[in-house]
Amino acid sequence: FCEAAIPALGRIGIKPVGVFKTAEEPSPNLFVLLPHKSLESVATAGAKLMADKEFLKAGAAVLDAPPTDPAYKRIESSLLLAFDGVPKLQVPTTKDSRILQLRTYESHNAKKALKKIEMFNTGGELDVFRKVGLPVVFFGQALIGGKLPNLTYMLAFDDEEAKEKGWKGFMAAPGWLKLKGDPQYKDTVCNITNIVLRPAAGSQI
C-alpha cells in the first residue's frame, strides 16, 4: 500500500496519508487516514487512482489479485467532518517510537452528540488538551460510517511514556474537572472506543 498508494494519493492532492497497525494486539487490519479538502475529492479519488498508470503498475500485486487469493477481505470507511477547533490535520511527531490513539465517542442521540462536539470546540476541552500536552492529529464529526452518532479523534505521542504523562495531566487539569462537572454536558457520551496504533512503514503521519 505505502509504495504504490501513498505516492499516487499525493499526486491527486491527498496528503499526508496515515497508515497504521494495532499496537496492543496482533491484527491483520490496516487503518488508513486520508485527509480530503472537499467532498469532490472524496467522490473522485477512486476514479483518479484507477486512471493513474504509475499506480496501476506499482499496485498490480494487490489490484490484480485473484478472487482465490485476495489481498484483503473488505474495506470499511467513515467520512468525518473536521471540527472548527481543528480545521486541518496536524502531524505533531515523526519519531520512530511514536504511537497514536484513535478514540471514538458515541452518543445515544444526535442532540447529545452535537453537545459533546460543542464541549470540545467552544466549551474549552480542546484548550485543555493543548495545555496539558495531548498532541492532536485530527478531530472529526462522523457523517457516514458505523456507530453513529459519534465523534472520532486521533492523538500522536513520541512514545508510551509521553502518552501516559499527557493523560495523567489531563485527568488532573482544573479545566477538565470543571467541564466534567458541568451539568450541560451530562450524558453526552455513552461509549468510548480506544485503539492504540503504530505507524506502518512509509506512513506520513
Side-chain angles (χ1 to χ4, degrees):
F1 180 92
C2 291
E3 294 180 1
I6 288 181
L9 288 164
R11 288 193 290 272
I12 60 174
I14 300 173
K15 56 185 176 181
V17 174
V19 186
F20 315 101
K21 295 182 178 180
T22 54
E24 297 178 331
E25 297 180 6
S27 170
N29 293 333
L30 199 64
F31 293 78
V32 180
L33 176 59
L34 303 176
H36 289 269
K37 297 178 181 179
S38 66
L39 284 175
E40 181 183 5
S41 173
V42 176
T44 60
K48 288 179 179 178
L49 288 176
M50 290 300 108
D52 186 325
K53 293 181 179 180
E54 290 183 50
F55 172 67
L56 296 178
K57 182 178 179 180
V62 172
L63 296 170
D64 299 329
T68 54
D69 186 25
Y72 56 87
K73 289 185 177 179
R74 290 294 181 269
I75 296 172
E76 296 182 6
S77 299
S78 294
L79 179 64
L80 307 177
L81 176 65
F83 279 21
D84 292 341
V86 190
K88 293 184 179 180
L89 184 146
Q90 303 167 17
V91 184
T93 178
T94 56
K95 285 194 173 183
D96 292 340
S97 59
R98 69 191 182 275
I99 58 173
L100 303 101
Q101 275 188 296
L102 183 66
R103 293 171 60 83
T104 298
Y105 291 4
E106 300 168 44
S107 301
H108 72 277
N109 64 40
K111 182 178 179 180
K112 288 295 186 179
L114 290 176
K115 196 65 178 178
K116 182 59 184 178
I117 292 172
E118 175 193 303
M119 186 175 176
F120 274 111
N121 271 329
T122 59
E125 192 168 356
L126 269 172
D127 293 334
V128 179
F129 269 52
R130 291 172 174 134
K131 286 178 181 177
V132 303
L134 289 177
V136 173
V137 177
F138 74 84
F139 268 80
Q141 175 187 358
L143 302 180
I144 297 172
K147 301 180 180 179
L148 296 176
N150 76 69
L151 67 86
T152 298
Y153 67 91
M154 178 178 277
L155 306 174
F157 301 91
D158 287 344
D159 50 35
E160 179 66 26
E161 182 179 353
K163 178 173 76 72
E164 296 300 324
K165 181 180 179 181
W167 279 111
K168 184 177 180 180
F170 176 81
M171 297 304 293
W176 165 242
L177 296 175
K178 181 179 179 181
L179 282 170
K180 185 179 179 182
D182 192 330
Q184 68 174 313
Y185 299 124
K186 184 180 179 181
D187 297 329
T188 54
V189 177
C190 64
N191 189 55
I192 296 176
T193 301
N194 178 67
I195 303 174
V196 180
L197 304 169
R198 291 194 185 278
S203 176
Q204 298 172 331
I205 300 172

